[in-house]
Amino acid sequence: MRAFDYSRATSASDASEKAAGGAVFIAGGTNLLDLMKLEVMAPEALVDITRLALDELAETEGGGLRIGALVTNSDLANDPRVRRDWPVLSRALLAGASGQLRNKATTGGNLLQRTRCLYFYDRDMACNKRAPGTGCAAMEGVNRMMAILGASEKCIATHPSDMAVALMALGAEVEIRAKSGETRVVALDDLYRLPGDRPDQETTLAPGDLITAVLLPPPVAGRQTYRKVRDRASYAFALVSVAGIVAVTEGRIARADLAFGGLAPKPWRAAEVEETLVGQAPSRALFETAADVLLAEAQGHGGNDFKIPLTRRTLVSVLEELTKEDAA
Ligand code: SF4
């Protein structure tokens, strides 16, 4: 690890000023410290934001929930309001990492964690995300975990978060404080960029931008689940995951909010899949059609070809679970 300066932010303004000058925010550090030890990231300065007052969970006037950026993954997963009204989020959080990591990892940091592509972490290998213009070793290499949707010829890495997949299905927004002091709110989908020609540019954040909170809309009717398919039962990243909120009224699907993990460079929401389902009577044939729509543009790279049929089976199974007449 290379030497770096460390300072503790005294205010959001102080944090933003330092970040605009090149410092990197640190909170839980559960991903950043690994990246620094491997010298994949070598910031000259860290600004510790853990003393900022961003660790509250507060109900909003409209019946939603404001999740401070420093709320830990454990506290969020175990909050009674989240467990009752947004259970897909609680389940996704508990499917991620380990208990120890969840105790340290924060909401804002979880959103901004980097891919776990093994070539990204190996400085001897070509990687356009780590070193733009050097190539992508994963393209012809071990790409079992890589993306089948939304990737580019420059990068096929996946976003590793479970939490963000649930937040995407829930229609969450992100509150961002700019260096100027102005606050803006963006849809979570708009926080992330697809890799295109610049896989090193992962978000739409500007220098000095500080994520201050995530905003959940009011709870909605319907059943919720988070299904994560992975190589072992815990402490593994998703091969494919599905966050789903589905409501059936009078025999027809009234609502279908779906997001997918392990498939794309960002948590993936496909409006056309939801449109395929809404207004229709649940059936295996309908769910297969929804999978066709989701996977119409899917592209494997050899080692990850299996994700295409796996995603199909997982989506159909999740939709069957969420629309079963006797489901609790
Ligand atoms: Fe790097 Fe992306 Fe290729 Fe992985 S998939 S080696 S992160 S460019």
Side-chain angles (χ1 to χ4, degrees):
M1 183 186 280
R2 293 193 204 158
F4 57 90
D5 289 334
Y6 169 88
S7 63
R8 196 170 268 157
T10 55
S11 65
S13 171
D14 179 42
S16 286
E17 287 287 341
K18 286 174 173 155
V24 171
F25 297 131
I26 185 165
T30 55
N31 186 207
L32 177 60
L33 292 178
D34 284 343
L35 290 161
M36 290 176 66
K37 287 177 197 167
L38 294 167
E39 297 187 8
V40 173
M41 290 180 69
E44 292 188 355
L46 293 182
V47 53
D48 183 339
I49 59 171
T50 53
R51 302 282 175 97
L52 301 182
L54 299 174
D55 59 352
E56 277 191 32
L57 274 166
E59 288 160 43
T60 61
E61 279 185 16
L65 194 67
R66 185 179 187 280
I67 306 164
L70 293 176
V71 172
T72 67
N73 288 181
S74 292
D75 285 347
L76 184 56
N78 293 318
D79 183 86
R81 293 163 293 188
V82 174
R83 289 167 60 101
R84 183 189 64 222
D85 294 332
W86 298 276
V88 63
L89 177 57
S90 183
R91 289 179 193 178
L93 283 157
L94 294 174
S98 66
Q100 286 175 317
L101 287 167
R102 291 193 295 269
N103 287 343
K104 286 297 289 179
T106 62
T107 302
N110 189 317
L111 293 180
L112 298 180
Q113 63 181 299
R114 312 293 301 276
T115 183
R116 297 318 198 271
C117 171
L118 58 91
Y119 301 109
F120 177 67
Y121 287 76
D122 184 343
R123 292 192 307 128
D124 291 331
M125 304 302 290
C127 174
N128 288 322
K129 186 183 284 295
R130 173 172 31 76
T134 57
C136 172
M139 205 64 79
E140 301 295 330
V142 178
N143 51 39
R144 187 167 181 276
M145 300 296 291
M146 301 300 169
I148 57 171
L149 293 169
S152 74
E153 60 182 21
K154 303 283 189 193
C155 180
I156 54 174
T158 50
H159 194 275
S161 174
D162 292 293
M163 180 193 80
V165 178
L167 290 177
M168 193 72 84
L170 288 166
E173 296 176 314
V174 182
E175 182 186 280
I176 300 163
R177 182 193 186 281
K179 183 183 158 223
S180 65
E182 283 181 24
T183 295
R184 68 184 189 278
V185 173
V186 302
L188 177 59
D189 202 23
D190 295 332
L191 176 68
Y192 297 110
R193 294 177 190 271
L194 289 175
D197 286 339
R198 292 299 304 267
D200 55 311
Q201 297 180 351
E202 297 172 350
T203 72
T204 55
L205 295 173
D209 278 354
L210 173 67
I211 292 178
T212 47
V214 170
L215 307 173
L216 285 185
V220 295
R223 295 178 192 136
Q224 304 186 13
T225 197
Y226 186 73
R227 181 87 61 89
K228 180 176 181 178
V229 181
R230 49 186 160 173
D231 283 329
R232 57 176 183 242
S234 71
Y235 202 48
F237 293 97
L239 295 166
V240 56
S241 67
V242 182
I245 303 141
V246 175
V248 179
T249 306
E250 297 178 352
R252 303 217 165 245
I253 296 174
R255 173 177 211 109
D257 301 334
L258 298 163
F260 303 86
L263 301 184
K266 67 179 191 176
W268 194 257
R269 188 161 182 180
E272 60 274 22
V273 176
E274 300 169 5
E275 288 161 11
T276 301
L277 294 164
V278 171
Q280 305 299 317
S283 71
R284 174 91 185 197
L286 176 67
F287 302 156
E288 294 280 357
T289 302
D292 289 341
V293 172
L294 173 67
L295 296 166
E297 306 285 325
Q299 186 183 354
H301 301 275
N304 65 349
D305 290 349
F306 74 98
K307 282 192 176 186
I308 296 174
L310 179 63
T311 301
R312 168 180 295 281
R313 291 195 300 274
T314 307
L315 175 58
V316 169
S317 174
V318 163
L319 290 171
E320 286 180 337
E321 175 193 331
L322 290 175
T323 58
K324 261 195 309 198
E325 286 186 12
D326 58 350

